[in-house]
Amino acid sequence: MYLSIGIVLFALLVLIVLGACRKRAAIRKVCSMSPKEKCERLSTLLSPFGYCYDSRFDIISSRNDAWQREAGYTALFDRAAASLNMIFDYLPVYFNYQDRTWLIELWKGQYGINTGAEIGVYYADRILAPDELATAHFKAVNDEDMLPLSFCLLRKEKLLAAISKRTWWLTAFCMGQFSQPSELCMKSTIQFQDRDMLTSFLDALYKTGIDKRCVKICGCELSLFFCGSQNRHYGCLARFIRKWAQLWNRIFCKIYLQITGVFCLTIDRLLYLYYLLPFAFRRMLTPRKYCKCKAPKS
């Protein structure tokens, strides 16, 4: 009896000592790296997941060559998002241009332990009927059809991120930040190919019920204020799932901040987490559209 208790206590002591040693080693490893080395190392780690690090706002963003480009988009992703702990407002705008149905969609909300926002540009191979939109698969636009996109993400009037790029998918994710989607405001700008494209998009945008005061036009550039909560109604079960997911998102945010609390910047926190708990690093960055990726070995 006493021997068994002694063995258990000894094993716990060994685990505590090993954990403390691993923690100190991870801290030393991060602190010994120069800013350039940190950026290069984190870029290598994030690349398989389709992301990159933006030091200007200490955020994670997406790459133009991200694997998600091959996956494209279907409305099922939005409907299934809550089951993956992604609770966001979304604004899909379907419009016809040059013999194709295009989709430009905006998202803002909580992605697991990240507060973030996205703009995606997609199109189908042909003109789709209205009843096809909910089930159709859209592919990411080709390089020649990518658009200059930009947005600022604010939480309660505090700027979290500002990003701009010619791309098919523009994103910004603030790790460890918890938000309700209604607390976020996304000030977006889209530069269209020509006036016809802008007009077609604008007509479709107004059909979504967006307030015309949230839209500004300058030449072929459109600015859109996507703020507050949406007029989207959820059933009792969907509301419960969203609240349950947000509860766990808040808890996981606190756990992430507690574990990585020895550092302040996202780049240091992520590198520390990778060296301390590589499985947690990979799980945290598992992409939203069901891909199994492996981070490079240290």
Side-chain angles (χ1 to χ4, degrees), residues 241-259:
I241 292 174
R242 287 171 67 87
K243 289 182 179 179
W244 181 255
Q246 281 292 70
L247 171 64
W248 283 105
N249 286 340
R250 187 188 293 270
I251 291 172
F252 287 132
C253 273
K254 291 182 178 180
I255 292 174
Y256 165 75
L257 294 175
Q258 181 66 33
I259 292 175

Side-chain angles (χ1 to χ4, degrees), residues 86-106:
M86 294 182 293
I87 307 301
F88 45 61
D89 291 332
Y90 56 99
L91 180 64
V93 182
Y94 300 92
F95 63 101
N96 297 328
Y97 174 71
Q98 290 187 346
D99 300 321
R100 284 173 164 169
T101 296
W102 291 59
L103 166 64
I104 296 180
E105 184 161 356
L106 288 75

Side-chain angles (χ1 to χ4, degrees), residues 49-69:
F49 299 95
Y51 299 109
C52 60
Y53 174 69
D54 189 326
S55 60
R56 293 170 299 173
F57 282 89
D58 194 36
I59 59 173
I60 303 301
S61 187
S62 51
R63 298 164 54 98
N64 275 357
D65 61 353
W67 70 267
Q68 290 90 336
R69 191 171 190 176

Side-chain angles (χ1 to χ4, degrees), residues 69-90:
R69 191 171 190 176
E70 296 298 321
Y73 167 88
T74 175
L76 174 63
F77 294 152
D78 293 335
R79 295 195 294 270
S83 64
L84 299 173
N85 282 49
M86 294 182 293
I87 307 301
F88 45 61
D89 291 332
Y90 56 99

